[in-house]
């Protein structure tokens, strides 16, 4: 046995979260799944809860709504207390991340009349940039796009330099989707507040992976998805966070009946509730909501501190193997080396990363490819073992040694 394999076994044996792997459906125990940050695995409890929810629909019919009507808030409270470390009543499940981003960004701009600039960065996730671009365009505002190093993440100094009395909103990702670089939420939120702007964080790659200092940073707003590290399944609804003292003052742009006070009075004029439910729009997705409930409960049970710690250890182990085995083949790290500055994934660069990712899939390892020429390895702490990291990187070394990737097409497929 090599030293690295022995080390993986020792780390697995000492892992306080090791038992959580059994809480997931593992259809093929030989498959090394390193893509949990694109689509998390299916928790066993979610499969059972969804079967039950469907039966409840069959038997309860319309009366099911007595329970379903508060589900978005209930799940929001589990996310608030068990995942995001904020207060009940500050988080709501609704819509998709893209739509929530639009709702909160528009509400923020309305709350800063006269200011005409939105700040984001050029490495923010595409949907974030497009939504903000559309919003700025529709309102005759300027979208100020900051330059970010795609491997090391947003620099706080760059954000500070971009702020002035014209900025209404700063919208950034906390964990960068490509490199996993963690932005300094404390310092950047502070700078935005100092300039009189509102601060909106995208937590898609943070929620369920790292600690998010939302409360400590005093950040105003956040959005995030649930199908990545929260394991809620394809297309599961997203969440939004609005700090409690801001809720009554912000008005979202989509005036739907699920935000209305005494909704079933069917009142003539829109009069939104004061609580976080005012950011709801229409009928919530109940089946997806139950999937988020189970996923969020699992993370809450494991404890986000322990999840983040294991994520950092998995990343450090992956980087040690990459240094030893892959650097000689021209593969280099494209993430911050410091665990404190990295989220739940590790990204590697090689000019033939697309072909390498296909060769890995053929070898029973599922990574993610991200343009330009990056291999993203998601190391979801709840079900990834150190031995999986060993197996995944050993397979990658084998691909490089045998040049197996050269047999795969250079052209990208539609979904990467
Ligand atoms: C995955 C992801 C999204 C996805 O948005 P959807 O509306 O769910 O498609 C948005 N932002 C970031 C940073 C992401 O990583």
């Amino acid at each position: 046995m090599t030293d690295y394999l022995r080390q993986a076994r020792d780390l697995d044996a000492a892992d306080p979260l090791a038992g959580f792997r059994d809480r997931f459906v593992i259809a093929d125990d030989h498959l090394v799944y390193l893509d949990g940050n694109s689509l998390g695995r299916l928790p066993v409890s979610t499969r059972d809860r969804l079967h039950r929810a469907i039966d409840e629909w069959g038997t309860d019919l319309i009366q099911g709504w007595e329970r379903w009507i508060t589900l978005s808030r209930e799940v929001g409270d589990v996310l608030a207390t068990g995942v995001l470390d904020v207060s009940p009543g500050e988080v709501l499940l609704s819509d998709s991340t893209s739509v929530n981003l639009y709702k909160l960004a528009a509400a923020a701009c309305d709350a800063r009349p006269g200011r005409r600039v939105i700040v984001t960065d050029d490495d923010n996730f595409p949907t974030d940039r497009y939504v903000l671009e559309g919003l700025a365009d529709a309102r005759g505002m300027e979208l100020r796009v900051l330059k970010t190093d795609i491997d090391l993440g947003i620099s706080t100094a760059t954000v500070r330099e971009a702020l002035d009395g014209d900025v209404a909103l700063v919208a950034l990702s906390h964990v960068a989707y490509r490199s996993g670089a963690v932005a300094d939420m404390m310092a950047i939120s502070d700078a935005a507040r100092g300039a009189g702007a509102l601060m909106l964080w995208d937590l898609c790659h943070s929620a369920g992976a790292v600690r998010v200092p939302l409360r400590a940073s005093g950040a105003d707003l956040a959005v995030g998805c649930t199908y990545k590290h929260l394991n809620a399944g394809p297309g599961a609804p997203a969440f939004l966070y609005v700090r409690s003292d801001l809720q009554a003052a912000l008005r979202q742009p989509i005036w739907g009946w699920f935000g209305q006070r005494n909704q079933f009075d069917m009142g003539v004029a829109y009069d939104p509730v004061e609580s976080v439910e005012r950011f709801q729009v229409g009928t919530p997705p109940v089946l997806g909501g139950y999937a988020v409930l189970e996923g969020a409960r699992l993370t809450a049970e494991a404890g986000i501190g322990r999840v983040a710690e294991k994520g950092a250890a998995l990343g450090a182990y992956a980087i040690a193997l990459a240094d030893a085995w892959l650097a000689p083949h021209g593969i280099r790290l494209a993430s911050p080396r410091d665990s404190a500055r990295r989220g739940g994934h590790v990204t590697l660069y090689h000019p033939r990363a697309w072909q390498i990712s296909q060769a890995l899939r053929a070898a029973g390892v599922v990574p993610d490819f991200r343009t330009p020429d990056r291999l993203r390895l998601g190391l979801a702490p709840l079900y990834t073992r150190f031995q999986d990291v060993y197996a995944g990187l050993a397979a990658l070394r084998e691909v490089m040694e045998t040049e197996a990737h050269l047999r795969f097409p250079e052209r990208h497929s539609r979904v990467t």
Side-chain angles (χ1 to χ4, degrees):
M1 200 190 315
T2 68
D3 285 350
Y4 284 122
L5 183 54
R6 184 171 303 116
Q7 191 186 357
R9 292 191 176 169
D10 290 347
L11 287 164
D12 283 329
D15 173 14
L17 299 182
F20 277 87
R21 185 175 163 88
D22 295 337
R23 310 279 291 276
F24 289 85
V25 173
I26 311 280
D28 173 1
D29 203 31
H30 297 292
L31 184 79
V32 177
Y33 190 63
L34 302 180
D35 210 356
N37 57 339
S38 276
L39 180 68
R41 282 187 182 272
L42 167 63
V44 174
S45 63
T46 303
R47 185 180 59 186
D48 298 345
R49 189 66 189 84
L50 289 186
H51 279 147
R52 240 178 34 247
I54 286 172
D55 287 342
E56 285 164 3
W57 164 27
T59 52
D60 298 355
L61 295 168
I62 191 72
Q63 277 180 325
W65 276 109
E66 295 289 336
R67 254 174 300 117
W68 301 330
I69 196 92
T70 51
L71 184 63
S72 300
R73 169 64 186 273
E74 262 167 62
V75 181
D77 286 352
V78 175
L79 288 166
T81 57
V83 178
L84 300 172
D85 214 6
V86 292
S87 301
E90 292 189 307
V91 177
L92 181 79
L93 200 67
S94 76
D95 303 307
S96 64
T97 300
S98 305
V99 171
N100 287 333
L101 185 83
Y102 174 76
K103 284 153 53 183
L104 296 192
C109 292
D110 285 342
R112 290 291 180 273
R115 293 186 174 225
R116 46 168 298 283
V117 176
I118 300 172
V119 171
T120 191
D121 76 313
D122 62 356
D123 195 40
N124 205 347
F125 192 79
T127 206
D128 299 53
R129 288 184 280 109
Y130 306 154
V131 164
L132 297 170
E133 189 184 345
L135 185 68
D137 188 65
R139 291 170 174 240
M141 294 175 78
E142 175 199 336
L143 182 64
R144 198 169 281 170
V145 183
L146 312 182
K147 176 104 199 68
T148 288
D149 184 302
I150 65 170
D151 296 334
L152 300 178
I154 183 95
S155 119
T156 305
T158 306
V159 180
R160 281 208 186 97
E161 280 161 27
L163 294 176
D164 57 37
D166 232 5
V167 177
L169 171 70
V170 180
L172 297 169
S173 288
H174 178 227
V175 173
Y177 77 96
R178 181 183 3 240
S179 66
V182 179
D184 187 342
M185 183 178 280
M186 299 289 288
I188 293 175
S189 301
D190 205 43
R193 185 169 38 250
L198 286 161
M199 182 73 226
L200 195 173
W201 289 101
D202 185 325
L203 305 178
C204 279
H205 281 278
S206 315
V210 296
R211 278 192 182 280
V212 183
L214 269 183
R215 192 202 299 271
S217 68
D220 302 295
L221 308 163
V223 296
C225 58
T226 61
Y227 48 79
K228 293 171 180 163
H229 282 285
L230 291 169
N231 305 303
F239 65 85
L240 56 82
Y241 161 81
V242 181
R243 211 182 58 229
S244 60
D245 60 294
L246 273 179
Q247 290 174 4
L250 291 188
R251 200 169 251 219
Q252 65 138 318
I254 310 175
W255 294 10
W257 72 312
F258 267 72
Q260 175 78 346
R261 200 187 301 277
N262 301 321
Q263 174 186 9
F264 286 95
D265 287 355
M266 307 290 191
V268 178
Y270 180 64
D271 174 22
V273 291
E274 276 171 22
S275 55
V276 75
E277 281 94 336
R278 67 165 41 200
F279 299 96
Q280 224 170 180
V281 179
T283 307
V286 171
L287 298 181
Y290 279 119
V292 184
L293 182 64
E294 294 302 330
R297 277 181 176 161
L298 258 188
T299 292
E301 184 187 333
I304 191 66
R306 289 201 299 182
V307 168
E309 234 169 75
K310 181 174 172 190
L314 286 165
Y317 179 68
I319 290 172
L321 295 186
D323 285 346
W325 294 347
L326 306 174
H329 294 287
I331 291 181
R332 73 159 172 84
L333 183 64
S335 294
R337 190 167 275 279
D338 175 5
S339 297
R341 294 220 45 239
R342 212 178 49 237
H345 59 273
V346 166
T347 303
L348 302 173
Y349 164 81
H350 187 280
R352 293 189 182 273
W354 169 245
Q355 288 169 290
I356 295 169
S357 71
Q358 294 170 88
L360 273 178
R361 276 175 194 245
V365 178
V366 183
D368 222 347
F369 169 82
R370 281 290 169 263
T371 181
D373 303 325
R374 273 153 178 82
L375 206 57
R376 194 174 68 169
L377 308 176
L379 309 171
L382 290 183
Y383 49 76
T384 305
R385 298 165 297 197
F386 288 88
Q387 288 175 77
D388 295 320
V389 177
Y390 179 92
L393 273 84
L396 179 47
R397 177 178 60 174
E398 169 97 9
V399 165
M400 301 315 292
E401 280 172 353
T402 60
E403 299 190 323
H405 58 293
L406 297 179
R407 294 199 299 273
F408 290 85
E410 289 180 49
R411 256 177 68 94
H412 299 177
S413 60
R414 178 162 180 259
V415 178
T416 64

